[in-house]
Amino acid sequence: MRNKYLIIYQEMAQKIEKETFKANEFLPSENELAEQYQTSRETIRKALNLLAQNGYIQKIRGKGSTVIERNKFDFPVSGLVSFKELADKMGEKPITTVHQCAKVSANEFIQKQLKLADNQEVWEIIRTRSFSGQRVILDKDYLITRTVQHISKDIAEASIYDYLENNLGLIISFAKKEIIVEEPTAEDHELLDLEGFYNVVVIKNYVYLDDATLFQYTESRHRPDKFRFVDFARREH
């Protein structure tokens, strides 16, 4: 006979998929589930751990287990598209909030990313993207001011790439990307809704013009439950 925790896991997973347990709602407590399934709390804990590992629930310290939204948005890994272009394809329209849009002196880290000299200015643009009232993406853009001499909060709220290409006539050609998982920073905790989440998925972009000039560095910091990062690969023969 299969382990009882596997049977409980499968039953609960089916209930989540059929929305008997709805997204963002808390499951019954371990004690209530143990009584319902006539088993020990340890068996229930094993089933809950498996649900968490497979993306069905998120355990929140001191509160219990909440059901994760199963509808994730696909983010292409290899493509170079703006967030607005991606958002236009989504059924649910996100809200963009601009927290910062200003010229600043590049700090040591940004100098290194954009290969800048000391005291050089960059545009710093910090935006959050909200879905269903939850702030789940933090975008941090840094653009070299000698390439982009003007930008505004309204532009940042709409689409930076649309402005760069259609107003400034820049030809954005390619980007180098790096994807890592990090513990949230103090800024992540301040600007994103991260209760119950202990890491963020960070996509770093180094963006180049058609003459191979590096002009933008971006960090797109994602809460891990809402997005699925996808790519298409073809084997060369």
Side-chain angles (χ1 to χ4, degrees):
M1 183 176 175
R2 289 180 301 162
N3 288 327
K4 188 164 186 177
Y5 80 91
L6 288 174
I7 297 171
I8 295 170
Y9 158 76
Q10 289 175 345
E11 285 187 16
M12 294 185 72
Q14 286 178 357
K15 287 182 178 180
I16 291 171
E17 289 172 353
K18 292 178 180 178
E19 298 188 343
T20 305
F21 295 133
K22 297 187 183 304
N24 303 315
E25 291 184 354
F26 280 91
L27 295 178
S29 69
E30 289 183 4
N31 283 333
E32 289 170 329
L33 289 170
E35 184 174 341
Q36 178 182 332
Y37 285 100
Q38 293 295 294
T39 190
S40 67
R41 283 186 62 187
E42 180 61 30
T43 298
I44 294 298
R45 200 169 289 126
K46 285 182 179 180
L48 293 176
N49 285 340
L50 199 53
L51 286 168
Q53 289 169 19
N54 288 302
Y56 285 99
I57 65 170
Q58 175 71 29
K59 290 188 170 185
I60 299 178
R61 290 174 189 167
K63 291 191 174 184
S65 299
T66 184
V67 177
I68 290 176
E69 172 64 60
R70 297 290 289 170
N71 294 324
K72 296 192 175 188
F73 300 115
D74 286 354
F75 267 57
V77 173
S78 58
L80 181 52
V81 294
S82 71
F83 183 84
K84 184 178 184 302
E85 290 166 337
L86 288 172
D88 287 343
K89 298 177 182 178
M90 296 176 182
E92 178 185 351
K93 296 301 181 186
I95 295 173
T96 295
T97 303
V98 181
H99 300 273
Q100 163 88 325
C101 180
K103 282 184 181 180
V104 300
S105 293
N107 61 29
E108 187 175 341
F109 175 78
I110 296 302
Q111 288 174 22
K112 183 177 179 182
Q113 306 313 306
L114 288 172
K115 301 178 172 58
L116 298 175
D118 291 348
N119 301 319
Q120 209 165 328
E121 283 190 328
V122 295
W123 287 104
E124 180 182 59
I125 302 166
I126 298 176
R127 299 170 289 179
T128 51
R129 321 289 194 167
S130 300
F131 293 83
S132 303
Q134 293 280 302
R135 300 170 300 169
V136 295
I137 304 176
L138 171 60
D139 280 337
K140 302 172 67 176
D141 295 274
Y142 298 88
L143 298 100
I144 296 175
T145 54
R146 67 171 177 264
T147 303
V148 182
Q149 297 177 1
H150 168 76
I151 203 162
S152 69
K153 184 176 180 180
D154 287 343
I155 292 167
E157 193 173 280
S159 172
I160 292 175
Y161 275 20
D162 180 68
Y163 170 73
L164 297 180
E165 293 177 323
N166 296 319
N167 290 75
L168 299 188
L170 298 177
I171 301 174
I172 300 167
S173 181
F174 66 95
K176 294 180 183 176
K177 294 193 178 190
E178 177 184 346
I179 302 177
I180 58 176
V181 177
E182 295 182 345
E183 290 186 4
T185 64
E187 183 180 44
D188 293 331
H189 281 294
E190 178 187 353
L191 296 179
L192 296 176
D193 294 310
L194 290 177
E195 184 178 9
F197 295 90
Y198 307 107
N199 54 54
V200 290
V201 179
V202 183
I203 302 180
K204 298 182 179 183
N205 278 290
Y206 301 82
V207 189
Y208 295 77
L209 300 175
D210 62 334
D211 62 358
T213 298
L214 173 64
F215 82 101
Q216 179 186 22
Y217 170 72
T218 299
E219 282 190 12
S220 190
R221 307 177 68 84
H222 298 251
R223 202 175 78 177
D225 65 315
K226 201 71 174 175
F227 304 97
R228 177 171 51 219
F229 300 95
V230 299
D231 197 4
F232 174 79
R234 187 187 299 278
R235 183 168 174 80
E236 296 297 333
H237 294 283

Coordinates of all heavy atoms in Angstrom, one line a residue, residues 15 54 92 226:
K15 N -8.0 18.8 -4.9 CA -8.9 19.8 -4.4 C -8.4 21.2 -4.8 O -9.2 22.1 -5.1 CB -9.0 19.7 -2.9 CG -9.8 18.5 -2.5 CD -10.0 18.4 -1.0 CE -10.8 17.2 -0.5 NZ -11.0 17.1 1.0
N54 N 5.9 21.2 -4.7 CA 5.3 21.2 -6.1 C 4.5 22.4 -6.4 O 3.8 22.4 -7.4 CB 4.5 19.9 -6.2 CG 5.3 18.6 -6.3 OD1 6.2 18.5 -7.2 ND2 5.1 17.7 -5.4
E92 N -4.8 39.4 -17.5 CA -5.0 40.3 -16.4 C -4.0 41.5 -16.6 O -2.8 41.3 -16.7 CB -4.7 39.6 -15.1 CG -4.7 40.5 -13.9 CD -4.3 39.7 -12.6 OE1 -4.1 38.5 -12.7 OE2 -4.1 40.3 -11.6
K226 N 4.4 33.8 -9.1 CA 3.5 34.3 -10.1 C 3.9 34.1 -11.5 O 3.2 34.3 -12.5 CB 3.3 35.8 -9.9 CG 2.0 36.4 -10.5 CD 0.8 36.0 -9.8 CE -0.5 36.7 -10.3 NZ -1.7 36.2 -9.7

